[in-house]
Amino acid sequence: MGVRVRNSRDDVVARALAVLDAYGLGDLTMRRLGAELGVRPSALYHHFPDKQTLLGAVADEVLARGLGGAPATPPGDLPWDGVVLEACRRVRDALLAYRDGAELVATVRAFGLGGAAALEEVAAAVATGGFDDDLVATASRALLHLVLGHTGEEQTHLQAQSVGAIGGEPRPDSDFDAAVGLLVAGLRATTPGARADA
């Protein structure tokens, strides 16, 4: 008789996401997750060969919940640079929805184990500018690095303030849009023939 699996893969990912949001990425361990699910940590390996693969699935779930699956259809009334800004905002919002969301997605992307939806979202937006494929790929990666780094710093600062690790006044309004705008301006300058009203 086969061993009955108590939790589905989706159950494990959902609980891991709850642990991430409650305790942070550093405390998302197989031991803690097993305790949360009422199973031994070894039972989790039925669904995931290692912790890194689990983190990839959790990152993909963060992005699926925040982005809704496929890249957004670009609004017809926005120029290409507006479409890019909206895509970057969508990814940022998805990351900010969960504690350590930016660090999680950056980590699994470095491992090559998940987080593809973030790049797909940005690349689909950049492609609306009529750039060649190589430039779309390079620009999209650069924009995503900005989104991950900016959002990660923002999350770290907010969390440190919330637990009293640092004092001081809240930071002024984010310069996220302005930072994306600088990269977009560089992209526009690189290809003077890019469609300005796409």
Side-chain angles (χ1 to χ4, degrees), residues 72-80 82-83 128 195 197-198:
T73 303
D77 57 346
L78 280 180
W80 72 268
V83 174
T128 66
R195 290 156 44 194
D197 59 352

Side-chain angles (χ1 to χ4, degrees), residues 4 10 24 31 34 39 54 66 69-70 75 96-98 100 102 141 152 161 168 176 178 180 195:
R4 182 177 173 273
D10 289 345
R31 181 175 304 233
V39 299
L54 168 66
L96 287 174
Y98 294 94
D100 294 337
R141 287 193 300 271
Q161 270 195 324
F176 179 80
V180 172
R195 290 156 44 194

Side-chain angles (χ1 to χ4, degrees), residues 96-168:
L96 287 174
Y98 294 94
R99 182 174 179 174
D100 294 337
E103 182 183 355
L104 170 67
V105 172
T107 298
V108 302
R109 282 191 49 74
F111 292 161
L113 293 173
L119 184 61
E120 291 165 3
E121 180 79 17
V122 176
V126 173
T128 66
F131 304 104
D132 67 56
D133 291 347
D134 288 343
L135 189 53
V136 168
T138 301
S140 301
R141 287 193 300 271
L143 284 160
L144 184 57
H145 288 311
L146 169 67
V147 173
L148 291 170
H150 194 288
T151 310
E153 180 182 314
E154 188 175 0
Q155 283 188 311
T156 300
H157 184 83
L158 289 170
Q159 289 163 15
Q161 270 195 324
S162 72
V163 298
I166 57 174

Side-chain angles (χ1 to χ4, degrees), residues 51-69:
K51 179 182 175 182
Q52 290 73 28
T53 306
L54 168 66
L55 292 179
V58 175
D60 287 343
E61 183 64 17
V62 166
L63 293 169
R65 291 183 182 193
L67 300 176

Side-chain angles (χ1 to χ4, degrees), residues 8-9 12 21 26 28 37 40-41 49 66 72 105 108 120-121 128 134 170 173 181:
S8 70
R9 187 179 193 277
V12 174
D21 212 26
L28 176 51
L37 290 164
R40 292 183 183 194
V105 172
V108 302
E120 291 165 3
E121 180 79 17
T128 66
D134 288 343
D173 290 340

